Amino acid sequence: MRGRGGGVAGGRLRWAGGGSRGRQIAKFYNSLGVTAVVCYYRLGSAGYHHPTELNDAKRAVRWFRSNADKLGVDKGRIGVIGFSAGGHLASTVGTLFDNGDPNAPDPIDKLSSRPDFLVVCYPVISMTEGYMHRGSRNNLLGPDKDNEEIARQVSSERNVSPHTPPTFIFQTDEDTVVPAENAVAFYLALRKNKVPAEMHIYRRGPHGVGLFQGDPVLSTWGKHLAAWLRNEGFLSPASTKRGAVEGTVSVNGTPVAWGSVTFTPENPHAPEVTARVMNGKFNLPARDGAVLGKNKLTVSYTSAVAAAITDQDAPDGSVSTTTLSNKGGEALVWDVKEGAGANKLALELKWE
């Protein structure tokens, strides 16, 4: 296992995601090299109401952080994932966290409860709007279920701040149990606060699908999550560095008007980045640049460009050069180095 951590919480505040679906998600994370734990928290159906659930989840994040060295994980790469009402719990951990109590007698309580990333799936978000899930509100608030002030306090779309961690959102349009307005409201609040976020809303799919591996379309959301975790840098060590890259691309001496250059590092868990080529040029700053070290290059450009260059008909779509050849005939690998300026590369391709 590499140094990351993830938590799982799920279900309408009546049951925790520790059953088969909780284990399924934990195993999914394991397949990415992520250490995962299933969070069991006290439930409204057992007489526990807000803020008990939130305190349990915050305690779980603190516990994981306090045991990071023992578990071999990075205490700065701890994420929380939640489904449905568990998505609400995850969203509240990501918006109502605290930095810990330095005077607490328990050393665990001295640590921050802020996750480093969030994943919320068909989440309950609002406890006040017309699209709220009434059952979740009743279970969460219990005797205070009609208290609008408390309901507003735990409506996560109202609590997003610039300090909310980067978030991935998965939702289906057909979900009538927890309508997509919840996910959209949370996304818009994240966007307003300039929090990095990615949202995928699928047309088909009922509520509560989990990974839904039997559906060849809907199951792709897990692949999108894996790509997001990778390219946001959560699957590689915090020490992973990037370098600025810039350059030019031409085919048979003609600058590529529209295309891309992808940098794929040797480490399959490190971020893979793609630079957009316009008028033969590309540029990525260090913040979004290629991972330092050896990267395989893939260049793509539109068929219209290819046809103009070669005076030949080309199929619709894109022409991808995945094995750019150097003089030795091997795939072109470029060594990205750290330095004061950008790594510069001129790609001169020949189509014969």
Side-chain angles (χ1 to χ4, degrees), residues 194-255:
K194 296 180 169 55
V195 176
E198 182 168 317
M199 179 169 64
H200 295 266
I201 299 181
Y202 287 72
R203 172 69 184 97
R204 303 293 182 187
H207 185 72
V209 295
L211 288 174
F212 218 46
Q213 294 171 323
D215 187 316
V217 175
L218 195 53
S219 63
T220 60
W221 82 263
K223 297 177 182 178
H224 291 309
L225 172 56
W228 180 80
L229 290 168
R230 176 185 181 181
N231 291 325
E232 289 296 311
F234 294 120
L235 297 185
S236 55
S239 58
T240 301
K241 295 183 179 180
R242 302 189 186 203
V245 293
E246 65 178 49
T248 59
V249 183
S250 63
V251 178
N252 290 0
T254 301

